[in-house]
Amino acid sequence: MDHLRRIGQLRRRITRAGLHGLLVTHLPDLRYLSGFTGSSAALAVTSRAARLFTDGRYIAQAADEVKSAQVQIVSSSPAVAAVQWLAAQPGVEFAGFDPAHTTVAELARWKTALPSRLRRSFLAALAAPLVEPLRWVKDEEELTIMIEAALVGCSLFDHILGFLRPGLAEFEVAAELEHQARLLGAEGMSFETIVASGVRSALPHGRATQERLPRRGFLTLDFGVILKGYCSDMTRTVYLGTPRANERDAYQAVLEAQQAGVAAVSAGVRCEEVDEAARGVLRRAGLAEAFSHSTGHGVGLEIHESPRIGAGQTTRLLPGMVVTIEPGIYLAGQFGIRIEDMVAVTRTGGQVLTPAPKALIEL
Ligand code: ZN
Ligand code: ZN
């Protein structure tokens, strides 16, 4: 990864925001800029220097991973050390921090650590995030990893199809999926695996429970792996037994909505237009009310990133963004259906990263 180039891009953004420096404490941002994968660190960036602060547990790891910043090992809070370092840099009169990832208590602590004349003026809350927008657009190396992560997801789906049978507990399905994920090289799951069977499929976020898979009914699997720090995310809904006509029709409507959403993805298109492409199909099928969330979200080092593919979202898609397209319907007491792909935005359309089958599978 070209971390130095990223810090260069960040410096231009810091200057444009009228700041002299930036404190980065959100770990995914920090990893993006420095490659550091530890769990405790802060990064300080000025127009001339970049320094990463971490503690003694990470001496070897930081030396190995971090090439784009100097590393300083500290015995107290890395963020406090970073703030003090920024304040000591010549010409740095104020520095930004990201209020979306800072607690009131942390801010108070940072201020207390500053010389009293700087306490009021030195730290400035960013009006808009500076690092995150860089992360929205993936470079070629990131895309390669994300393609790989998405394909691991597809192999998991393929594997689990051979495992599913009525009577299994949902958590057994999740356990098998997660065990297999580790064997395929995943560092972990990108979120808590969703296994929602029968009437539970009507819960958009039905985590795997002790509930047993029914002889007849939908089963929604929503899962993702982390590979080299990057998250995958996909959902497939299968049927145990033979679906009734209304269930088949409902599945077809969600599939068409999902395909319309995928087809709408292209550079320059507003997120709300992609949402409407999917939502319109379900509205015409009389299922508007049953589709209770937005169509998708950005994904990358974090499972939920910007942009949000939802109504009223005017952000335009850029080549290199990776978003999910995941319309669903939820009929309480009956069933639910969701289908989700990861799609990389290209100049002329979208590249589906999760090519696992979407036609209704009956088991
Ligand atoms: Zn998902
Ligand atoms: Zn998702």
Side-chain angles (χ1 to χ4, degrees):
M1 301 280 175
D2 197 347
H3 300 114
L4 266 178
R5 184 182 55 84
R6 293 174 181 175
I7 287 186
Q9 287 176 317
L10 178 62
R11 285 199 170 107
R12 286 192 286 280
R13 297 182 67 94
I14 292 172
T15 306
R16 273 206 302 266
L19 295 164
H20 298 155
L22 181 70
L23 170 69
V24 181
T25 53
H26 185 47
L27 290 171
D29 286 349
L30 204 135
R31 177 173 187 158
Y32 179 80
L33 295 167
S34 72
F36 183 66
T37 62
S39 63
S40 162
L43 177 68
V45 181
T46 69
S47 58
R48 273 182 252 172
R51 186 172 288 218
L52 182 131
F53 299 81
T54 183
D55 65 60
R57 293 171 296 168
Y58 293 114
I59 294 177
Q61 186 178 327
D64 182 45
E65 291 177 338
V66 181
K67 309 288 177 229
S68 62
Q70 296 171 298
V71 175
Q72 186 171 332
I73 305 295
V74 293
S75 51
S76 58
S77 154
V80 166
V83 168
Q84 288 174 326
W85 179 83
L86 279 167
Q89 298 309 296
V92 177
E93 286 158 38
F94 33 79
F97 69 93
D98 187 349
H101 298 288
T102 302
T103 66
V104 174
E106 280 169 329
L107 181 57
R109 199 160 163 222
W110 300 344
K111 285 187 173 174
T112 311
L114 284 169
S116 51
R117 64 185 168 82
L118 293 178
R119 271 178 208 162
R120 269 175 177 277
S121 59
F122 188 73
L123 289 168
L126 296 175
L130 291 185
V131 184
E132 231 190 271
L134 297 175
R135 288 173 39 202
W136 295 345
V137 172
K138 276 70 181 173
D139 64 27
E140 224 159 288
E141 206 174 339
E142 292 178 289
L143 281 173
T144 303
I145 297 170
M146 293 194 72
I147 288 170
E148 206 184 325
L151 288 177
V152 168
C154 291
S155 321
L156 287 176
F157 178 64
D158 189 48
H159 172 82
I160 211 72
L161 286 178
F163 180 79
L164 295 173
R165 59 174 192 278
L168 277 178
E170 290 174 349
F171 72 81
E172 291 178 278
V173 177
E176 177 64 23
L177 201 82
E178 293 173 8
H179 176 72
Q180 193 63 23
R182 293 306 290 252
L183 294 179
L184 289 174
E187 292 147 30
M189 305 308 285
S190 46
F191 57 94
E192 207 177 323
T193 302
I194 291 173
V195 180
S197 63
V199 289
R200 292 194 72 255
S201 60
L203 305 171
H205 269 191
R207 290 178 175 139
T209 64
Q210 312 244 1
E211 208 62 49
R212 307 223 163 244
L213 305 194
R215 293 201 167 279
R216 190 179 198 190
F218 282 112
L219 170 66
T220 299
L221 302 161
D222 186 352
F223 57 93
V225 299
I226 303 173
L227 207 66
K228 296 175 192 153
Y230 286 81
C231 298
S232 80
D233 188 7
M234 69 182 281
T235 306
R236 290 293 183 269
T237 301
V238 299
Y239 202 91
L240 296 155
T242 306
R244 299 163 181 90
N246 67 318
E247 291 170 328
R248 218 182 272 282
D249 291 348
Y251 187 89
Q252 198 53 33
V254 174
L255 179 57
E256 277 166 28
Q258 204 270 347
Q259 287 166 331
V262 171
V265 170
S266 189
V269 173
R270 291 194 304 273
C271 291
E272 61 183 1
E273 297 175 77
V274 178
D275 181 77
E276 181 52 31
R279 200 169 295 279
V281 173
L282 291 172
R283 190 183 304 120
R284 288 188 287 280
L287 290 164
E289 304 270 290
F291 180 19
S292 51
H293 52 76
S294 43
T295 293
H297 54 86
V299 57
L301 284 170
E302 288 179 280
I303 183 64
H304 290 120
E305 298 185 354
S306 288
R308 190 162 73 79
I309 312 293
Q313 298 294 313
T314 53
T315 305
R316 287 181 191 278
L317 294 176
L318 295 167
M321 283 180 168
V322 177
V323 297
T324 68
I325 300 296
E326 52 178 305
I329 59 163
Y330 311 94
L331 303 168
Q334 300 181 57
F335 59 82
I337 300 162
R338 180 169 64 256
I339 304 170
E340 173 180 30
D341 280 322
M342 286 167 74
V343 184
V345 181
T346 68
R347 289 190 187 285
T348 51
Q351 180 194 354
V352 173
L353 307 187
T354 40
K358 291 191 283 194
L360 184 56
I361 293 173
E362 298 168 28
L363 295 167

